[in-house]
Amino acid sequence: MSTLPQKESRASTACPGPASTQDLGSSCDNGPERECSRKPDQKLYAVGDASAIFSSGSSYLSSRGSIIKWFWDSAQEGYRTYHMDKYDEDKNPSGIINLGTSENKLCFDLLSRRLSQSDMLQIEPSLLQYADWRGHQFLREELAKFLSFYCKSPAPLKPENVVVLNGCTSLFSALATVLCEAGEAFLIPTPYYGAITEHVYVYGKVRLVYVYLDSKVTGPDTRPFQLTVEKLEIALQGAHSEGVKVKGLILINPQNPLGDIYSPGELQEYLEFAKRHKLHVVMDEVYMLSVFEESAAYSSVLGLERLPDPQRTHVMWSTSKDFGMSGVRFGTLYTENQDVAVAVATLCCYHGLSGLVQYQLAQLLRDHDWINQVYLPENHARLKAAHTYVSEELRALRIPFLNRGAGFFIWADLRKYLSKGTFEEEMLLWRRFLDNKVLLSSGKAFECIEPGWFRFIFADNAHQLRLGMQRVRQVLEGKSQVAEDPPSSQTQEPSSQPR
């Protein structure tokens, strides 16, 4: 997605230099391509400011409508282009291969068989009528049991703390609206899932304060793009110095696009920081069951022995990622704060979920035998195989990348293909990929401070992965048939909307 202008300018940490061959093990395969010290005057944060970009709008729309339309026009170019020219092995073999949208396309066969079984097909009058806006009681009870088990909560979670909406997109919008006044902000470490910018702004006009992380490794106990409490403190105080009130902190675990998994100790530190400053913490755990490396241990916030501030800790999860069901549009919030739960539930009259879908989800989530013995083992095996393939392709191209064992993505360092290390060059490279019929997500879409990083989605079938990586290789080796310098009308900021 496109990035909102910031009040602050920032200098890139990327600089030309030879490729590093340092082996950082689980931190970064082949090491970051270039490591540079920060400039003394470079800020470690920025405050997103959407108001500066709307000088005029459509005469047919309100100012709010013009803002909403702007997000669509600026943030969906790559996604729209893909949908107009999708790859199909038989009908459109020259179409676009999508390695940019974070979806799991590896287990449709398993899901199709399970969702077609007779226990999924029940229809009752209550499912066709208005229900509790928080979600049907049977689904909320099942979700409380499901999250208790898979999040390893020390005590059973309670159905009254569960709210059901049509996706985590709606959850971000709802939470921003009920937790913040217009113009207030959330802290968020970058790079981050960039569509959150739109989610929190469109309804609530809530801003983001970017906590910039970079690839520099400063010691044996550090890793690229590592979040620390010190960096959170700097960004918070910087926002306050500019008159911006910060109301919360957004964390994604496992992290998108890095694939990082926060340890229990790190989570505790971040939550203690939030408590000190009376900040809400919005935990996005949508990839919690997509940890496919056995050595990559995952801990949910709900699994901690003690939450420092349970009334300000709000956890979201959905089936979109872990169960490859993004089209179902289901998301859930778990919060012990009943004021927050009721306020979000009130918005469910706009973001509710079909009773028939709620019934199917309850049936699916209560089937622990199928989940544990069939789905999760096979899903993890397929994710690992696909990850291995793309990793090997990147190594063959001598492209450094973060080597993680969670999520559907690899965060890869293409800075050596940018002669000047600018976001303009990153945009041109993104467009060359798209013109060569492969969609990726560029670092700018995730508000990465260093130009040249790209996210590769690997959760796709082997044939499309092979073809997609062949097209990537063609571009990087200069063998594609596209123009090196697109016309000026096509050199606007790219926004391969990172879903």
Side-chain angles (χ1 to χ4, degrees):
M1 61 169 285
S2 292
T3 304
L4 301 179
Q6 296 89 39
K7 290 182 179 178
E8 300 80 31
S9 62
R10 63 179 187 271
S12 166
T13 58
C15 65
S20 169
T21 58
Q22 180 182 8
D23 182 10
L24 298 178
S26 62
S27 294
C28 184
D29 195 283
N30 293 335
E33 184 64 39
R34 293 182 284 275
E35 297 178 359
C36 308
S37 299
R38 287 185 177 276
K39 295 182 179 180
D41 61 345
Q42 182 180 326
K43 290 197 173 184
L44 301 180
Y45 74 96
V47 179
D49 182 12
S51 61
I53 60 181
F54 305 114
S55 57
S56 63
S58 169
S59 60
Y60 298 101
L61 298 174
S62 67
S63 60
R64 293 186 304 276
S66 294
I67 291 171
I68 292 168
K69 181 177 180 296
W70 176 87
F71 273 110
W72 172 265
D73 290 342
S74 64
Q76 305 254 359
E77 178 192 353
Y79 196 60
R80 289 200 308 270
T81 303
Y82 161 68
H83 275 281
M84 292 186 294
D85 188 20
K86 277 186 180 182
Y87 171 84
D88 183 280
E89 187 173 0
D90 300 316
K91 298 178 181 178
N92 190 22
S94 63
I96 296 172
I97 299 288
N98 186 355
L99 303 184
T101 303
S102 187
E103 290 183 294
N104 185 349
K105 301 175 183 177
L106 294 171
C107 292
F108 290 154
D109 57 332
L110 303 179
L111 292 164
S112 177
R113 286 196 294 270
R114 182 63 190 90
L115 295 173
S116 299
Q117 292 178 9
S118 59
D119 65 327
M120 292 287 178
L121 306 178
Q122 183 173 337
I123 298 179
E124 299 176 357
S126 63
L127 301 179
L128 303 178
Q129 298 168 347
Y130 294 127
D132 186 333
W133 287 123
R134 294 172 295 174
H136 278 284
Q137 179 70 19
F138 62 79
L139 177 57
R140 290 188 289 118
E141 289 176 354
E142 211 55 58
L143 279 164
K145 296 175 185 176
F146 179 90
L147 293 174
S148 296
F149 180 80
Y150 289 102
C151 295
K152 300 178 181 178
S153 62
L157 302 178
K158 299 176 181 179
E160 58 265 32
N161 297 336
V162 175
V163 184
V164 174
L165 288 84
N166 61 341
C168 286
T169 295
S170 297
L171 266 173
F172 272 118
S173 294
L175 283 170
T177 301
V178 305
L179 297 179
C180 304
E181 303 293 345
E184 293 179 342
F186 286 109
L187 293 175
I188 192 166
T190 78
Y192 70 96
Y193 162 56
I196 294 174
T197 305
E198 177 182 352
H199 301 342
V200 302
Y201 190 84
V202 164
Y203 285 169
K205 289 186 169 55
V206 175
R207 305 161 75 179
L208 295 176
V209 175
Y210 308 126
V211 184
Y212 287 128
L213 310 179
D214 60 43
S215 65
K216 186 175 179 59
V217 177
T218 58
D221 297 325
T222 63
R223 63 181 184 268
F225 300 102
Q226 184 170 1
L227 175 64
T228 64
V229 170
E230 180 185 11
K231 293 172 184 177
L232 291 171
E233 292 280 5
I234 291 171
L236 178 64
Q237 297 311 315
H240 286 171
S241 71
E242 296 184 28
V244 176
K245 186 173 183 179
V246 176
K247 292 295 289 290
L249 166 65
I250 295 174
L251 294 173
I252 307 169
N253 186 37
Q255 212 274 354
N256 176 10
L258 303 177
D260 276 352
I261 299 173
Y262 297 131
S263 70
E266 287 175 320
L267 290 172
Q268 199 73 40
E269 289 179 2
Y270 305 150
L271 293 175
E272 293 285 359
F273 156 81
K275 181 182 180 180
R276 285 197 301 274
H277 297 286
K278 296 183 179 180
L279 302 178
H280 291 273
V281 177
V282 177
M283 286 295 313
D284 178 347
E285 298 192 350
V286 296
Y287 293 97
M288 73 173 184
L289 298 181
S290 298
V291 180
F292 53 86
E293 288 287 357
E294 294 181 3
S295 60
Y298 175 76
S299 298
S300 168
V301 158
L302 296 176
L304 297 178
E305 286 296 326
R306 181 186 64 85
L307 288 175
D309 192 351
Q311 291 297 303
R312 289 190 177 90
T313 305
H314 319 292
V315 182
M316 60 173 66
W317 179 78
S318 81
T319 54
S320 294
K321 310 300 182 181
D322 288 339
F323 284 89
M325 297 167 59
S326 52
V328 170
R329 308 309 306 131
F330 158 77
T332 188
L333 170 70
Y334 190 87
T335 178
E336 294 187 20
N337 188 315
Q338 286 304 300
D339 290 341
V340 174
V342 170
V344 171
T346 303
L347 294 175
C348 289
C349 63
Y350 309 109
H351 301 290
L353 197 63
S354 157
L356 299 176
V357 172
Q358 291 191 47
Y359 176 83
Q360 288 185 309
L361 287 168
Q363 292 296 100
L364 182 73
L365 297 179
R366 69 165 51 102
D367 192 352
H368 284 202
D369 287 343
W370 179 81
I371 294 172
N372 294 330
Q373 298 172 23
V374 178
Y375 180 76
L376 287 181
E378 186 61 25
N379 184 40
H380 290 167
R382 295 180 187 184
L383 285 171
K384 186 171 183 177
H387 177 271
T388 298
Y389 170 74
V390 175
S391 297
E392 290 174 349
E393 289 294 301
L394 292 173
R395 289 190 188 101
L397 289 166
R398 298 183 62 80
I399 294 173
F401 59 91
L402 298 194
N403 193 6
R404 305 294 192 252
F408 311 153
F409 28 77
I410 293 177
W411 189 238
D413 182 359
L414 304 186
R415 284 180 288 173
K416 68 182 179 182
Y417 297 98
L418 310 184
S419 60
K420 298 179 181 178
T422 66
F423 284 109
E424 289 75 17
E425 287 180 299
E426 178 185 278
M427 178 267 286
L428 292 173
L429 180 57
W430 175 85
R431 187 168 297 284
R432 285 200 292 273
F433 286 129
L434 188 61
D435 288 345
N436 208 49
K437 300 300 183 74
V438 60
L439 175 63
L440 296 175
S441 293
S442 67
K444 184 69 170 177
F446 301 93
E447 197 59 38
C448 184
I449 195 172
E450 300 174 358
W453 290 83
F454 283 75
R455 187 185 72 174
F456 287 70
I457 300 298
F458 58 81
D460 209 334
N461 68 68
H463 173 72
Q464 293 198 184
L465 280 184
R466 283 195 297 271
L467 185 55
M469 292 307 297
Q470 286 173 10
R471 294 177 180 181
V472 167
R473 179 183 288 272
Q474 288 172 351
V475 171
L476 298 181
E477 293 181 347
K479 298 177 181 177
S480 60
Q481 300 301 311
V482 298
E484 288 294 311
D485 297 303
S488 58
S489 62
Q490 295 187 1
T491 57
Q492 299 176 7
E493 175 134 344
S495 53
S496 47
Q497 180 76 340
R499 295 291 178 183

